Amino acid sequence: MPRFKDYSYDQQLMLPITLSKQILPGTFEYTLHVLFSEKLDLSVFYDRFQNEETGAPAFDPAVLLKIILFAYSRGITSSRRIARFCDENIVCMALSADTHPHFTTIADFISSMDKECIDLFTKVLAICYSENLIGKEMFAIDGCKISSNCSKEWSGTKADLVRKVEKIRKSISFLVGKHQHEDLHGAKNKDLEKETAAIEKLSAKADKIESWLSEHNDRMGASGKAVKSNITDHCCPV
């Protein structure tokens, strides 16, 4: 029996990490970071705070906006999962400056400031699309798809561009609504079902391939060399 080195996926690593180095220029997350920190006016969020002299310090709205929109881009639309994302994903951790907002903080923010969030998210996504920073896999959540063919789409009359921005607004409104719905009704069971289904699907595929390999040999072509076979129809070479 061969011997192998011990390993464990449950171990915790203490790695020296510079958070700013995780937000690389030219990426979607870098654009979020710069726009929310330096370019966009976030004063609309400040009136909700009354802690200038008393009370605990609050989370900077810029931080919450960054992590929420970044989480949306990764298919995450519940406050519990976004909070966990900040604990587990190094880029999200960097965007939050390792502040770890509680899921109730995120939920309260998105439920009370949803209109303001939608306005800002629309501006940010319009900029990101015009700079080709969003790939085709991002924001494809439950039918919410925004075209990433930026080079062709971001041209035309002012009316054309207004329509395109409105399309982004509708999509981000859908995501914010989905976020609020999952906070109210919970997504934990749904996530567990998805994970279980994915494991079962992979297991079934592995069993099918293993069974086919044990029952069939290579088919030989006219040249005497093996030809490719299709597992779904082994009688037909491909």
Side-chain angles (χ1 to χ4, degrees), residues 45-77:
F45 296 96
Y46 298 162
D47 290 341
R48 70 197 302 260
F49 300 109
Q50 303 295 328
N51 62 344
E52 291 90 344
E53 298 180 1
T54 61
F59 282 96
D60 190 333
V63 168
L64 298 177
L65 291 164
K66 291 175 194 177
I67 63 174
I68 290 172
L69 189 52
F70 181 66
Y72 286 0
S73 75
R74 296 297 187 268
I76 299 173
T77 52

Side-chain angles (χ1 to χ4, degrees), residues 14 104 136 164 200 206 221:
M14 304 296 290
T104 55
K136 63 182 181 180
K164 289 163 186 174
E200 291 177 350

Side-chain angles (χ1 to χ4, degrees), residues 82-142:
I82 292 173
R84 190 168 73 241
F85 198 45
C86 287
D87 293 335
E88 299 173 350
N89 182 278
I90 189 61
V91 174
C92 193
M93 192 182 300
L95 288 173
S96 71
D98 200 31
T99 55
H100 304 281
H102 195 264
F103 79 89
T104 55
T105 300
I106 300 171
D108 177 66
F109 182 76
I110 203 67
S111 65
S112 62
M113 305 294 290
D114 53 343
K115 292 182 176 61
E116 293 82 358
C117 289
I118 290 171
D119 288 342
L120 282 171
F121 288 168
T122 300
K123 292 178 182 177
V124 171
L125 289 189
I127 294 170
C128 289
Y129 277 104
S130 68
E131 293 298 316
N132 292 313
L133 292 175
I134 298 181
K136 63 182 181 180
E137 299 301 325
M138 301 177 77
F139 298 97
I141 305 171
D142 288 354

Side-chain angles (χ1 to χ4, degrees), residues 157-175:
T157 65
K158 182 177 180 179
D160 292 334
L161 297 178
V162 168
R163 283 193 293 269
K164 289 163 186 174
V165 170
E166 183 58 27
K167 180 180 178 181
I168 291 177
R169 181 182 297 276
K170 289 180 180 178
S171 296
I172 204 66
S173 296
F174 169 84
L175 291 175

Side-chain angles (χ1 to χ4, degrees), residues 16 19 21 44 55 63 69 76 87 153 181 191 212 231-232:
L19 294 178
K21 300 298 183 183
V44 67
V63 168
L69 189 52
I76 299 173
D87 293 335
E153 286 206 358
H181 181 271
D191 294 338
W212 188 91
I231 292 177
T232 60

